[in-house]
Amino acid sequence: MVHGTTAELADDLATNGSARSRGFWRALLASPSGMIGLAIVGLLVFSALAAPLLAPFDPLRMAAGPRLDPPSAAHWMGTDDFGRDVLSRIIYGARLTLQIGVIAVGISLTCGLLLGLVAGYSSGWTERILMRLVDVLFSFTEIVIALACLAIFGVGLTNAMIAIGIASIPFYARVTHSVVLVEKGKPYFEAAIAAGAGHGRLIFLHLLPNVIPTLIVIGTLGVSTAVLAAAGLSFLGLGAQPPQPEWGFMLSSSRDLISRAPWMMIFPGLAIAITVLGFNLLGDGVREALDPRQRQR
Amino acid sequence: MEIRLLRDVWRPPVLGAALAGTMALGGACATAQELVWARYGDIDSLDPHRATSTLSMQVWDQIYDTLLAFDMDGNPQPNLASGNEASEDGLVYTFTLNEGIMCHDGTPFDANDVKFTIDRAFGDTPSLTKTSWGPISDVTVVDDLTVQVTLESKFGAFLPFLADSFSSMVCDTNTADTFGSSTAIGSGPFKLVEWVKGDEIVLDANPDFKNFGKPVENAGPPMFDRLIVRTVPEPQTRLAALRTGEVQIAEPPFDDIEAIKSEGELDIVVADNTGQNVFWEFTISRPPFDDIRARQAVAYATDAQMAIDIIYGGLSQREWCPIARGVFGNDQEFCKQFGYEYNPEKAMELLAEMGFGPDNPLETTMFVWTGGNRHKLAEIFQAQLAQVGIKAAIEIMDIGTMNARVKEQNESPDDPSPGTFDMMTWSWYDPDILYQLWHSPGAYSGFQTPELDAMLEETRTTIEPEARLEKVQAVIQYLMENAAHVGLYTPGWEWVFAVRPEVEGFKIGPFLHPIFLDVTLEEG
Amino acid sequence: MARFILQRLMAALVTIWIATIAVTILIHLVPGDPVRIMYGSFQTTPEELEAIRVRLGLDQPIWRQYLMYLGRLLHGDFGNSIVGDQPVIDILMTRFPSTLALTLSSLFIAVVVGMSLGFLAAYKRGTWVDVSAMVLAIVGVSMPHFWLGLLLLFLFALQLQWLPVAGGDWRSLILPALTLGLANAAVLARLTRSAMIDIFDQDFVRTAHAKGLPKSIVLYRHALRSGLVPVVSMLGLQFAYLMGGAIVVENVFAWNGVGRLAIEAVFARDYPLIQGFILFFAIIVALASVVIDVAYAFLDPRIRYS
């Protein structure tokens, strides 16, 4: 729910978003944050894909070990109050986390891009009204919009993903809009208009390609926000429902047992923090790789 | 004894009760004695007609009093009313009130207050539990201390109801808009000082209180000055606060109870005879639970004993009946004959008959309400059901929401999504709860048949105990054979208390009414 | 200046106005009949539901409902909660001081810790101080508040028993404020650092240096003041985030504010309370942003005319 990392970048990116570097991947791997981020995200994707191979137990199997068993050789991260293996649940949890990231960001990216493009391209009253609306929604903050959505749809992980996706639309719309404004002011765009390019051509050939690099950056950072938000909602009981091995939900069920079984609180928290860190670093890395000016700092 | 006498003699007109208490105690005790009772949630309202939660009810018990009171066996005894008389036809009840009872605002408690309360329960915004009052048609004030209640038809559960907190007597001076949210005038052992919503309810001892019928020794006012009922949602936090002495009484985390017992620092008090019943009920108006086999399959696939052993470790019991132990009509042996003992094979057979199998699981949703580790119990049930091929999603919600959602489900027979089932909970002092749940239109518009309606009516109009027992048991058998109300366990919520050693005399009456009248606080 | 303030106030009013429309629509987006969803508890009869429908005007066309709602709002009537049937505005107002105390104290922590860290990092750019400050900041940004909260609770309240846990006095504010403050300090640290770096690179600071002015004076008179401007401009947003973050943190520590209330309301499907909360939140955030914008304009007069 902290949109800080992304918020602080918005304007910055708007002016530099179009910068493209030939050696993107080389640049990404050259930056320490990019590399660490990529490694963490890679690990997450790998555990999500290979969960059945990696997990020593079925994540839903009760009495896989004694109840509330501390970490041991048999259960590296201990067991929970149903005797389920915490490590296996964390590994399977990666699937849900990835799903949350992709779906939530997918929704906000698509809708935000569309809104921002329309507003930025159309100008005049349409723009003013749309952006005013976006600004208002933005000031509500994401968690309140997400709460409102959940109050409407009802609780659950899928609904939480959608709610988070909707809640972030204003942010993506804002960024897209500002990038579009910058692009529209550039000489090549005016030249294209002068050459008689149609709306479709202007939008898809000129604006869109220049918006995309920026959106890749904020999308990557946005995954971290979405993961954090979904974990928060699940923690509050509004997201994942039992027996889903969702990390935020696991944290919330650890609360009653915090002194009996601190491992139930420590590992899911670490998993969320590392994942979010991974996407934040990767986002920073991508930004640096796309924008040489940033790299010099 | 001496102290109480002093208080009665020397009562400053302006100063509050707390001050009066301490001053009367003289040098023995320099500061007001406070008891902090921490609970997981707040009350919904101070108005006994505007809420149904146990949390609310337990606070009403302190502020208000009732015409009758339950003894430890759960039988109604005289309390505010020193006596009652029923007419020959069982339709007119005459209550005589005790003399000298005062409302917290200094007005005497009399027949007008009784009339005010009952009229209010049937008024424009009636009591949420209006039907439990019975078919009252008229209340007449005969004189200051005599009141007559007329019923339309005979009602076997009328007297026990008058001992329950839902019948709390509200003084007729509660006419302000703020009644229920910031003011509440009763005649109970404590008076309201302040309700800081979501945080705490501050109650001061009522020096005028006289106990006529509550099953404790103290016949006078409470023996400490102030009761603070505080909301502390997290069990671990409550335990920590108990240990540091910030809180004197609280529900502990279930997984720590063994450790608390072996440490011996805190006492564990378990309420008996709570009247609580946790049970399965189903959306019978549409598939899959319109088919009795689906309901039976759930019942057979549930191993309640195993689940409560894991989650509550011996603090709760398997309950076979649709009404709890200690309630009239409960008989484990009788109910067990119609019960569904854990039998996963049988469940799978029934499901197979319906065309469900491993590749085609029966999909449904289980509603559960928050708190008391019920969500954990539900998670075990979910795993048990999965083993026979029932795929149940869990939805956790507030009890008020669950009440509304269950009704909504029952009233939507055309909804294309699969029907739901739920872990419903009711605490009641009389089998009349079955009438309220299942007599049409019913609390939740659930399972109803004309046959059942007729049987339930008989449980109300039959007063003579032996005959009534027969009627009640016929209903129990019917509900169980139809797998409409499948008992799981008892008790199930807010019945375990950890108490600090300086608190002496904390007692929980039947049906989970905590009584603080005998409580004394040791210094230090 | 007056015109500027007026302009900002108008913008805030527009925000609030849009919020009123949004909350009116909200209840109609919930699938099903709003009256039954809200008031259809057990033992309510269809007649009672109809009476409620008429009383609340929910039988009217939606635009009428909106006007009625607006009319009630102007009289300070936010409706009554479903749970306990009490005025929503009273419930919100009794809980709001707690949230404000939490938000302001965490804002204070965030500003003090975040800005010093960011300033230090910028000042020592490229050194290990910078690197470790920024590593700390990104870890801070990535840490879920609720987890940080649980860790602090576990350590300080349950294990060490340094702080009271069951509420009541100001000491119970320490942990929630730290949790929320530290998480947002990380954001401010990153912001401050990049703002300060921009300033350090600007000509006037370099010139001041070249003229041989003492470093402290350069820092104080030139760099800090201009560096603060973009950071202060973010405070409005920060305040909104803190208010949002408070929702989660209040639930971790059972802090008795509007955030915990909001979650309880969602669980209880108490729509009048949810509507009231959203509107209330919008009003607070809009007013706070006016205050911060005006403060910002004092700090940087150029902004007024842009």
Side-chain angles (χ1 to χ4, degrees):
Chain A
M1 299 187 198
V2 181
H3 223 144
T5 36
T6 35
E8 76 190 71
L9 291 177
D11 294 331
D12 207 19
L13 283 164
T15 45
N16 301 306
S18 62
R20 263 171 292 171
S21 161
R22 270 182 303 143
F24 169 77
W25 286 100
R26 206 171 345 126
L28 180 64
L29 289 173
S31 84
S33 58
M35 222 174 61
I36 302 171
L38 205 61
I40 294 175
V41 171
L43 185 70
L44 180 83
V45 174
F46 178 66
S47 20
L49 293 178
L53 302 173
L54 292 174
F57 294 92
D58 178 340
L60 303 185
R61 197 183 130 199
M62 294 189 174
R67 292 182 72 220
L68 303 173
D69 204 25
S72 65
H75 301 282
W76 292 3
M77 295 184 183
T79 62
D80 68 7
D81 49 339
F82 297 114
R84 293 180 299 208
D85 183 54
V86 174
L87 174 64
S88 307
R89 289 178 71 72
I90 298 241
I91 292 173
Y92 271 89
R95 291 187 161 186
L96 295 174
T97 302
L98 212 58
Q99 206 185 335
I100 292 160
V102 170
I103 293 180
V105 172
I107 292 173
S108 35
L109 200 71
T110 319
C111 302
L113 177 68
L114 218 65
L115 256 171
L117 269 181
V118 168
Y121 183 77
S122 62
S123 62
W125 274 106
T126 322
E127 178 183 24
R128 247 188 261 175
I129 292 175
L130 276 182
M131 290 324 289
R132 187 68 220 155
L133 205 68
V134 163
D135 282 348
V136 168
L137 285 176
F138 192 67
S139 73
F140 277 28
T141 76
E142 293 176 6
I143 182 157
V144 174
I145 302 176
L147 275 185
C149 291
L150 287 174
I152 295 168
F153 315 142
V155 301
L157 190 57
T158 314
N159 290 349
M161 292 180 205
I162 299 171
I164 293 163
I166 294 175
S168 300
I169 293 174
F171 176 72
Y172 289 79
R174 244 189 173 187
V175 174
T176 310
H177 177 244
S178 48
V179 178
V180 168
L181 287 191
V182 171
E183 291 302 319
K184 268 170 76 181
K186 287 188 180 164
Y188 80 88
F189 191 81
E190 277 157 24
I193 297 179
H199 292 308
R201 199 182 162 79
L202 284 174
I203 292 180
F204 291 104
L205 227 64
H206 295 291
L207 291 181
L208 202 57
N210 288 307
V211 173
I212 283 181
T214 308
L215 286 186
I216 291 175
V217 177
I218 62 165
T220 314
L221 292 168
V223 173
S224 67
T225 318
V227 167
L228 217 47
L233 291 176
S234 294
F235 179 80
L236 295 174
L238 302 171
Q241 301 289 319
Q244 285 171 313
E246 200 275 339
W247 300 336
F249 180 68
M250 287 169 73
L251 256 185
S252 113
S253 25
S254 78
R255 296 167 86 181
D256 291 9
L257 298 151
I258 192 169
S259 32
R260 272 293 303 280
W263 55 89
M264 279 177 67
M265 179 262 292
I266 289 167
F267 294 112
L270 265 180
I272 301 169
I274 291 175
T275 303
V276 172
L277 182 67
F279 279 102
N280 275 338
L281 289 174
L282 184 64
D284 276 2
V286 171
R287 176 175 54 138
E288 286 170 29
L290 285 173
D291 176 9
R293 192 183 73 105
Q294 287 275 336
R295 216 183 308 158
Q296 290 162 3
R297 289 192 176 184
Chain B
M1 203 54 216
E2 207 177 328
I3 296 165
R4 212 176 298 139
L5 197 73
L6 268 172
R7 276 194 205 177
D8 284 346
V9 175
W10 190 80
R11 191 179 304 131
V14 186
L15 294 176
L19 196 53
T22 32
M23 291 183 77
L25 280 163
C29 163
T31 50
Q33 285 192 313
E34 279 183 5
L35 188 152
V36 183
W37 173 25
R39 313 186 303 165
Y40 79 92
D42 198 2
I43 62 173
D44 298 332
S45 175
L46 290 163
D47 175 351
H49 299 161
R50 291 266 66 82
T52 57
S53 67
T54 303
L55 291 169
S56 308
M57 196 188 82
Q58 291 180 334
V59 170
W60 304 336
D61 284 343
Q62 314 312 323
I63 299 174
Y64 307 101
D65 212 346
T66 44
L67 288 180
L68 307 177
F70 289 118
D71 62 17
M72 285 311 278
D73 297 325
N75 298 313
Q77 303 295 343
N79 189 37
L80 288 175
S82 59
N84 69 81
E85 225 174 272
S87 64
E88 201 115 312
D89 58 2
L91 294 181
V92 181
Y93 285 82
T94 309
F95 297 92
T96 319
L97 303 178
N98 276 303
E99 251 178 283
I101 301 167
M102 302 292 274
C103 288
H104 296 157
D105 61 344
T107 57
F109 177 85
D110 59 26
N112 292 305
D113 299 294
V114 178
K115 182 172 167 58
F116 176 78
T117 303
I118 301 177
D119 285 349
R120 200 171 169 277
F122 286 84
D124 288 341
T125 42
S127 162
L128 291 176
T129 56
K130 184 174 89 174
T131 51
S132 55
W133 287 84
I136 294 179
S137 58
D138 181 58
V139 187
T140 312
V141 176
V142 178
D143 60 50
D144 273 1
L145 296 179
T146 314
V147 63
Q148 222 169 46
V149 180
T150 310
L151 303 175
E152 267 164 23
S153 53
K154 284 203 279 187
F155 179 37
F158 184 52
L159 291 180
F161 176 72
L162 296 178
D164 189 77
S165 332
F166 287 120
S167 77
S168 291
M169 287 296 140
V170 176
C171 293
D172 60 6
T173 40
N174 284 300
T175 47
D177 279 349
T178 51
F179 174 53
S181 70
S182 58
T183 57
I185 304 162
S187 61
F190 291 89
K191 43 179 158 186
L192 178 73
V193 176
E194 190 187 13
W195 174 21
V196 185
K197 292 182 184 73
D199 191 16
E200 61 183 23
I201 303 151
V202 182
L203 303 169
D204 273 353
N206 168 12
D208 297 326
F209 181 73
K210 293 198 178 88
N211 172 25
F212 295 99
K214 290 181 194 278
V216 288
E217 291 180 7
N218 183 5
M223 295 184 279
F224 59 97
D225 306 303
R226 180 165 273 198
L227 173 64
I228 297 173
V229 186
R230 188 169 290 163
T231 302
V232 183
E234 289 305 313
Q236 284 295 331
T237 315
R238 288 197 299 270
L239 181 58
L242 274 167
R243 293 214 159 110
T244 57
E246 286 172 67
V247 160
Q248 280 75 44
I249 299 179
E251 182 182 81
F254 289 102
D255 280 292
D256 289 272
I257 289 175
E258 276 312 306
I260 295 170
K261 278 183 178 164
S262 62
E263 283 166 18
E265 189 202 336
L266 303 168
D267 291 330
I268 296 288
V269 178
V270 182
D272 243 0
N273 206 351
T274 58
Q276 294 180 340
N277 186 232
V278 182
F279 57 94
W280 287 140
E281 59 163 4
F282 307 87
T283 301
I284 288 176
S285 61
R286 65 175 201 266
F289 296 118
D290 57 341
D291 187 325
I292 184 171
R293 290 171 299 183
R295 308 197 290 268
Q296 289 174 330
V298 169
Y300 279 124
T302 313
D303 187 352
Q305 187 68 53
M306 174 203 170
I308 55 178
D309 283 350
I310 292 176
I311 302 298
Y312 299 133
L315 291 168
S316 184
Q317 283 177 290
R318 183 75 174 88
E319 174 60 71
W320 291 101
C321 296
I323 45 174
R325 282 180 173 78
V327 175
F328 179 83
N330 178 297
D331 179 343
Q332 296 302 306
E333 289 314 308
F334 174 81
C335 294
K336 208 169 168 180
Q337 321 166 49
F338 314 105
Y340 300 87
E341 199 128 15
Y342 179 56
N343 188 345
E345 287 76 27
K346 189 85 198 252
M348 282 192 272
E349 250 169 59
L350 288 164
L351 290 169
E353 266 179 48
M354 288 180 71
F356 295 109
D359 305 322
N360 175 28
L362 184 154
E363 290 193 27
T364 178
T365 301
M366 181 200 305
F367 292 165
V368 187
W369 62 282
T370 47
N373 267 8
R374 253 179 315 283
H375 60 291
K376 299 207 162 165
L377 214 66
E379 213 166 335
I380 295 181
F381 289 146
Q382 182 184 47
Q384 291 173 350
L385 295 174
Q387 279 172 355
V388 303
I390 297 173
K391 210 173 141 193
I394 293 178
E395 270 190 56
I396 301 166
M397 57 196 85
D398 178 272
I399 177 65
T401 310
M402 190 160 112
N403 282 333
R405 293 276 307 271
V406 168
K407 189 167 183 196
E408 196 183 338
Q409 282 286 321
N410 281 320
E411 289 172 355
S412 319
D414 302 323
D415 190 319
S417 66
T420 59
F421 68 116
D422 51 275
M423 238 166 105
M424 187 47 85
T425 62
W426 271 96
S427 158
W428 213 254
Y429 46 84
D430 188 272
D432 192 52
I433 183 63
L434 297 177
Y435 181 95
Q436 293 176 54
L437 290 174
W438 306 114
H439 187 278
S440 53
Y444 303 112
S445 313
F447 180 71
Q448 290 151 13
T449 63
E451 229 180 320
L452 181 59
D453 277 359
M455 290 160 80
L456 284 164
E457 276 153 30
E458 286 182 345
T459 65
R460 276 203 154 186
T461 51
T462 312
I463 310 285
E464 198 277 314
E466 240 164 84
R468 186 166 186 237
L469 182 67
E470 215 169 273
K471 303 291 183 199
V472 168
Q473 292 194 333
V475 170
I476 290 176
Q477 180 179 347
Y478 188 85
L479 285 171
M480 293 185 71
E481 282 176 345
N482 282 289
H485 182 146
V486 179
L488 292 171
Y489 62 94
T490 182
W493 62 100
E494 297 149 56
W495 78 103
V496 184
F497 301 82
V499 181
R500 276 187 68 81
E502 66 263 27
V503 179
E504 287 286 336
F506 174 61
K507 200 166 179 182
I508 304 144
F511 314 121
L512 216 57
H513 299 299
I515 307 174
F516 291 91
L517 285 169
D518 275 359
V519 170
T520 52
L521 295 174
E522 257 173 58
E523 280 308 296
Chain C
M1 194 66 194
R3 222 187 107 209
F4 174 74
I5 295 175
L6 202 71
Q7 204 184 332
R8 300 305 304 148
L9 269 176
M10 285 308 291
L13 275 180
V14 171
T15 305
I16 295 166
W17 173 62
I18 292 179
T20 61
I21 298 176
V23 298
T24 312
I25 295 171
L26 182 134
I27 183 66
H28 291 276
L29 291 177
V30 182
D33 168 16
V35 176
R36 211 165 83 179
I37 290 163
M38 291 195 281
Y39 299 93
S41 191
F42 60 104
Q43 302 203 349
T44 39
T45 62
E47 295 76 36
E48 281 162 11
L49 286 182
E50 267 330 292
I52 292 170
R53 193 188 306 278
V54 172
R55 183 160 57 85
L56 296 180
L58 285 165
D59 55 339
Q60 305 283 331
I62 188 155
W63 63 269
R64 279 285 303 269
Q65 285 181 33
Y66 175 69
L67 291 181
M68 287 165 74
Y69 182 63
L70 216 55
R72 287 198 299 263
L73 282 181
L74 290 176
H75 289 94
D77 177 7
F78 279 54
N80 275 18
S81 65
I82 308 265
V83 176
D85 190 24
Q86 287 156 18
V88 165
I89 188 70
D90 291 358
I91 302 179
L92 287 168
M93 287 313 290
T94 49
R95 302 268 195 121
F96 181 61
S98 304
T99 300
L100 194 65
L102 172 61
T103 313
L104 291 181
S105 45
S106 28
L107 188 64
F108 179 74
I109 292 171
V111 166
V112 170
V113 175
M115 286 180 47
S116 352
L117 207 64
F119 188 78
L120 200 68
Y123 188 61
K124 300 260 180 189
R125 177 159 34 139
T127 67
W128 64 270
V129 177
D130 180 21
V131 173
S132 35
M134 285 305 103
V135 167
L136 208 63
I138 195 150
V139 169
V141 169
S142 306
M143 189 109 153
H145 324 39
F146 41 94
W147 189 47
L148 179 64
L150 283 184
L151 289 172
L152 292 175
L153 188 76
F154 178 59
L155 197 65
F156 292 107
L158 299 180
Q159 293 302 110
L160 300 172
Q161 301 198 346
W162 286 357
L163 295 165
V165 286
D169 79 59
W170 64 272
R171 283 178 305 162
S172 47
L173 178 59
I174 296 176
L175 288 184
L178 265 181
T179 304
L180 192 54
L182 290 181
N184 284 276
V187 179
L188 273 180
R190 285 166 65 105
L191 254 167
T192 311
R193 177 179 176 272
S194 74
M196 291 312 296
I197 283 176
D198 280 343
I199 301 294
F200 285 157
D201 284 350
Q202 273 172 13
D203 288 342
F204 74 94
V205 178
R206 293 192 180 179
T207 319
H209 255 303
K211 278 199 291 190
L213 280 171
K215 211 170 178 182
S216 59
I217 294 192
V218 176
L219 272 182
Y220 179 73
R221 203 180 288 164
H222 300 282
L224 197 58
R225 199 184 148 107
S226 350
L228 274 180
V229 171
V231 177
V232 172
S233 77
M234 287 297 291
L235 282 184
L237 211 54
Q238 278 292 312
F239 180 79
Y241 284 134
L242 284 167
M243 286 278 297
I247 296 177
V248 179
V249 172
E250 284 181 4
N251 278 281
V252 175
F253 292 96
W255 185 252
N256 189 33
V258 288
R260 206 178 100 204
L261 182 75
I263 301 299
E264 284 167 5
V266 172
F267 268 109
R269 296 209 304 180
D270 195 332
Y271 287 104
L273 195 49
I274 296 171
Q275 287 175 309
F277 168 77
I278 294 172
L279 194 56
F280 187 76
F281 191 94
I283 293 172
I284 297 296
V285 168
L287 292 182
S289 88
V290 172
V291 172
I292 287 166
D293 282 351
V294 170
Y296 180 39
F298 269 112
L299 208 66
D300 184 6
R302 282 169 303 171
I303 189 76
R304 273 174 250 168
Y305 309 105
S306 63

